[in-house]
């Protein structure tokens, strides 16, 4: 069965320091994986996606994620956090090969302090 | 990029009122739209999948008579919360799937609609 686990419900970093948001998945096939960001009272915005091409995926706002099949992980990173990065981040995996449904992780709240 | 627009973005209503939320794909056709509900500090909960021209598929535990979904065209889906009560207060988000042959599962999300029922 497909599942996605975000290992940290809350991550706090200082501005200018690296960001690591962890995500592990379980899938019976090669899934598509996504990271979405949600700012308060806003909809979701796609940060990046993995769809069986390059394993290191670069997204918007300096974020990137690496698909590691052996570790079933898709961790999100950014070299230097900015105050505007404070938001909720969701790791998402396709439920089936047709991609007709998505499973959301429970989310990780990123706090950035000055 | 593809844009999904929701309207209204915030609605406050009295208990017993029915409220309609619109979800539009502005620059693409969406064969499938999804409706989610999000409680404070929680993840999104899929309520239903809406396919153009057919009845919506509701997730277990979601009352179809309470949450009426209509997907009348390839660019518009509506969610009507009938006889809203305070427990229906929530953030409702729609998403749309781009209608292309290469279906990677990517969804485009609306900005969300906040419903407050007094």
């Amino acid at each position: 069965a497909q599942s996605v686990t975000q290992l940290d419900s809350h991550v706090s970093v200082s501005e200018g320091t690296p960001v690591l948001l962890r995500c592990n998945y379980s899938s019976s096939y090669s899934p598509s994986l996504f990271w979405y960001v949600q700012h308060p009272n806003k909809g979701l915005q796609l940060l990046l996606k993995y769809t069986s091409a390059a394993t290191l995926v670069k997204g918007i706002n300096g974020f990137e994620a690496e698909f590691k099949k052996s570790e079933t992980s898709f961790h999100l990173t950014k070299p230097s956090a900015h105050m505007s990065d404070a938001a909720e981040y969701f790791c998402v995996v396709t439920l089936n090969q047709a991609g007709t449904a998505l499973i959301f992780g429970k989310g990780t709240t990123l706090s950035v302090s000055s | 990029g593809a844009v999904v627009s929701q309207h209204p973005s915030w609605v406050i209503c009295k208990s017993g009122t029915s409220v309609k939320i619109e979800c539009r794909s502005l620059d693409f056709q969406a064969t499938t739209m999804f409706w989610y509900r999000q409680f404070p500090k929680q993840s999104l909960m899929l309520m239903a999948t809406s396919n153009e021209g057919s009845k919506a598929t509701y997730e277990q535990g979601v009352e179809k008579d309470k949450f009426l979904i209509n997907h009348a065209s390839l660019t518009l889906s509506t969610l009507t919360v009938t006889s809203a009560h305070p427990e229906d207060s929530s953030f409702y988000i729609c998403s749309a799937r781009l209608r292309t042959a290469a279906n990677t599962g990517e969804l485009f999300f609306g900005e969300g609609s906040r419903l407050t029922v007094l």
Side-chain angles (χ1 to χ4, degrees):
Chain A
Q2 315 302 105
S3 68
V4 58
T5 303
Q6 290 183 245
L7 300 169
D8 308 291
S9 59
H10 198 158
V11 170
S12 297
V13 300
S14 299
E15 191 173 23
T17 63
V19 175
L20 170 63
L21 305 183
R22 298 183 295 166
C23 173
N24 285 103
Y25 71 93
S26 172
S27 178
S28 56
Y29 62 93
S30 295
S32 294
L33 293 153
F34 311 84
W35 276 98
Y36 283 88
V37 61
Q38 183 181 34
H39 288 92
N41 295 314
K42 297 285 188 180
L44 274 73
Q45 180 184 25
L46 179 66
L47 279 177
L48 48 81
K49 64 179 179 181
Y50 166 78
T51 56
S52 74
T55 56
L56 181 61
V57 182
K58 293 187 183 298
I60 62 172
N61 301 335
F63 284 94
E64 61 181 41
E66 186 172 6
F67 175 73
K68 292 186 177 181
K69 187 174 181 179
S70 60
E71 299 177 10
T72 60
S73 68
F74 190 57
H75 300 335
L76 181 70
T77 60
K78 182 173 181 177
S80 177
H82 193 272
M83 296 294 286
S84 60
D85 294 327
E88 188 83 7
Y89 291 80
F90 294 97
C91 182
V92 182
V93 63
T94 46
L95 179 62
N96 51 38
Q97 286 187 283
T100 55
L102 302 177
I103 298 176
F104 283 77
K106 292 190 175 181
T108 299
T109 302
L110 176 64
S111 299
V112 182
S113 58
S114 56
Chain B
V3 177
V4 175
S5 174
Q6 276 186 247
H7 176 81
S9 57
W10 197 323
V11 57
I12 301 174
C13 69
K14 292 183 177 180
S15 185
T17 306
S18 292
V19 175
K20 180 186 286 187
I21 301 170
E22 293 186 347
C23 177
R24 294 181 184 273
S25 54
L26 296 186
D27 50 2
F28 67 99
Q29 292 183 328
T31 51
T32 305
M33 288 184 171
F34 303 87
W35 285 96
Y36 297 84
R37 184 173 180 177
Q38 185 180 36
F39 292 100
K41 299 186 185 301
Q42 295 190 28
S43 185
L44 277 69
M45 181 191 77
L46 179 64
M47 297 174 66
T49 302
S50 170
N51 293 298
E52 186 266 337
S54 64
K55 289 184 178 180
T57 302
Y58 289 82
E59 295 300 303
Q60 192 172 11
V62 178
E63 300 176 61
K64 58 183 66 177
D65 294 331
K66 175 73 171 176
F67 300 99
L68 300 179
I69 291 173
N70 185 282
H71 194 158
S73 75
L74 287 172
T75 59
L76 174 64
S77 176
T78 60
L79 168 68
T80 301
V81 183
T82 61
S83 187
H85 289 282
E87 58 265 29
D88 299 324
S89 299
S90 193
F91 197 54
Y92 293 88
I93 302 176
C94 75
S95 66
R97 177 185 307 286
L98 186 63
R99 186 189 188 194
T100 64
N103 190 351
T104 61
E106 179 180 352
L107 297 179
F108 298 93
F109 286 82
E111 289 277 303
S113 299
R114 181 165 300 285
L115 172 63
T116 301
V117 184
L118 304 177

